[in-house]
Amino acid sequence: MTTSTSDPRTADLIRQRAVELGFDVCRIADARAEWAASARLREFVEHGRHGQMGWIEDTEDRRRHPTAMWDHARSAIMVGVNYGPDHDPLETLGRKDRGAISVYAQGDDYHELIKGRLKQLAGWLVSRFGGELKVFVDTAPLMEKPLAERAGLGWQGKHTNLVSREFGSWLFLGSILTELELPADGPSGGSCGQCRACLDICPTNAFPAPYQLDARRCISYLTIELKGPIPAEFRPMLGNRIYGCDDCLAVCPWNKFAAQSREQRLHARDALREPSLADLAGLDDAAFRALFSKSPVKRIGRDRFLRNVLYAIGNSGDACLAPRAQALLADPAPIVRGAAVWALSRLLPPDAFASLRAAAAETDPDVLAEWAA
């Protein structure tokens, strides 16, 4: 049975408790109201813009609305944690011998941090007001950004990410769906106006139009979600981005109001702030797991990560890194060997590359397919 908690003070108590637990912002949305997000999702899938992320299509029916996933949902408690960096991520792109890792992945995995706090908030909520609920942090078929917009945490910008008046583009989201009928907050307002900074900076033109994303062209998708070699047309555009991309977030003018995260676990680790490509190219599986312990980077695995590192080495223009790529021509993983070939094709003079290719073919003719990739 649905529990009625219509007193506005209830929402104030929830927000207060959320801040006490370490969330930077908390607001409430009506989980039952109609929205346009389902139509945008349908268009995204129909155009195949989800790429290899098959789970989006598989769970589309449940994603289309909060009540489609859980029909008891009445209210959505939306929380945000600021992960603002202490530096401009765009500066790293000019240091070609260094790897650029997305800001969100330079510290500990936010999923565990937010989920732990959400469970605390959920436990308090049940003990205080009763009612069933469900907790979500980015891993379930729930469209959190439209819910966050409805709750007033910000608005979805032209880059499709949430923009906050207070935190700019640097907010991790979490949510609690509850059968409680809570007083809902309204949208915060805010607009991108005529600004196109996020659209214009994208190296791969991943935005077919404002407020639309083609994930198949997005560097975050290419370096994280895509299995197998990255299409050749995009490799030069990766630059030294080896995990994710912050360009469209970092360039947003609303970041002038942002501040560094107060959460120490989300601060950049020294080893991940601007890691040396030469050092990263030498990682075996054990060293990779050790370096990225408690980091979201670990989930793509060493081979896919080394693929990205080798593309960055190829884009560095630094011939001194060629031996690092050459050492990986014999790597057990085909995806690594193929990326090493591409890197060497960019770093070595044509005659030296041709000689290396001929020597490889003489040793094992079957490797020619990798050299042509």
Side-chain angles (χ1 to χ4, degrees):
M1 182 176 66
T2 303
T3 304
S4 177
T5 51
S6 57
D7 189 330
R9 290 174 296 182
T10 300
D12 292 337
L13 288 172
I14 293 171
R15 284 191 285 267
Q16 178 183 335
R17 183 57 180 155
V19 171
E20 291 171 352
L21 290 171
F23 293 111
D24 291 297
V25 62
C26 172
R27 292 174 69 88
I28 299 168
D30 181 350
R32 297 166 296 181
E34 294 298 322
W35 62 6
S38 58
R40 294 197 297 267
L41 175 64
R42 178 88 290 267
E43 181 182 17
F44 180 71
V45 172
E46 284 181 345
H47 284 84
R49 292 173 179 166
H50 58 302
Q52 291 183 359
M53 296 183 291
W55 64 88
I56 294 179
E57 183 174 6
D58 294 342
T59 60
E60 183 185 347
D61 286 344
R62 285 188 291 156
R63 287 179 183 274
R64 61 183 172 82
H65 195 271
T67 58
M69 187 175 62
W70 186 43
D71 60 6
H72 286 215
R74 298 293 179 268
S75 302
I77 301 169
M78 302 301 301
V79 297
V81 175
N82 172 35
Y83 70 101
D86 63 352
H87 64 288
D88 181 357
L90 297 176
E91 293 177 355
T92 304
L93 302 180
R95 302 181 178 104
K96 301 299 185 180
D97 63 335
R98 300 281 163 168
I101 295 175
S102 185
V103 167
Y104 87 88
Q106 292 180 20
D108 286 0
D109 192 335
Y110 71 93
H111 293 89
E112 297 304 316
L113 182 143
I114 294 179
K115 184 178 290 185
R117 291 179 181 174
L118 272 180
K119 287 182 176 178
Q120 288 181 280
L121 181 59
W124 172 85
L125 193 70
V126 170
S127 67
R128 185 70 182 262
F129 302 108
E132 294 184 18
L133 51 76
K134 294 183 182 294
V135 171
F136 304 96
V137 187
D138 192 33
T139 54
L142 180 70
M143 291 195 285
E144 291 177 311
K145 287 183 286 188
L147 270 177
E149 181 174 36
R150 178 182 292 174
L153 269 66
W155 67 96
Q156 283 191 261
K158 292 180 181 178
H159 52 18
T160 75
N161 292 292
L162 197 75
V163 181
S164 162
R165 290 179 180 274
E166 185 176 0
F167 304 106
S169 292
W170 312 111
L171 265 186
F172 289 136
L173 300 176
S175 55
I176 297 175
L177 293 184
T178 172
E179 66 175 1
L180 298 175
E181 292 187 358
L182 300 171
D185 297 300
S188 64
S191 167
C192 297
Q194 299 300 311
C195 180
R196 290 182 47 91
C198 61
L199 308 181
D200 294 338
I201 199 174
C202 180
T204 56
N205 294 314
F207 301 104
Y211 309 105
Q212 297 180 25
L213 171 69
D214 188 341
R216 297 168 298 182
R217 301 185 64 90
C218 175
I219 289 177
S220 287
Y221 167 83
L222 293 169
T223 57
I224 299 173
E225 303 296 345
L226 183 70
K227 300 174 183 178
I230 292 175
E233 65 175 301
F234 296 126
R235 295 174 195 174
M237 305 173 193
L238 300 176
N240 61 341
R241 301 171 186 83
I242 57 175
Y243 187 91
C245 178
D246 289 319
D247 291 24
C248 65
L249 301 179
V251 77
C252 180
W254 284 96
N255 288 335
K256 65 185 176 182
F257 300 111
Q260 182 184 10
S261 173
R262 63 191 175 108
E263 177 52 58
Q264 188 66 36
R265 290 162 60 186
L266 298 179
H267 289 180
R269 305 178 194 174
D270 289 340
L272 303 186
R273 186 182 291 269
E274 290 184 348
S276 159
L277 293 176
D279 292 343
L280 294 176
L283 294 176
D284 60 16
D285 190 63
F288 170 80
R289 291 178 175 276
L291 178 62
F292 294 107
S293 174
K294 298 183 179 180
S295 164
V297 178
K298 189 168 70 172
R299 80 176 182 88
I300 71 171
R302 176 260 184 190
D303 296 346
R304 215 186 307 176
F305 182 73
L306 261 287
R307 171 201 65 183
N308 299 340
V309 170
L310 284 163
Y311 291 147
I313 285 176
N315 289 328
S316 70
D318 186 353
C320 293
L321 291 174
R324 292 292 187 173
Q326 189 167 344
L328 291 168
L329 289 174
D331 193 86
I335 193 175
V336 174
R337 296 196 301 269
V341 168
W342 186 84
L344 290 169
S345 75
R346 305 262 294 180
L347 296 178
L348 295 179
D351 56 343
F353 180 74
S355 297
L356 198 60
R357 180 183 185 278
E362 185 175 331
T363 303
D364 181 5
D366 291 337
V367 304
L368 284 180
E370 292 174 3
W371 284 76

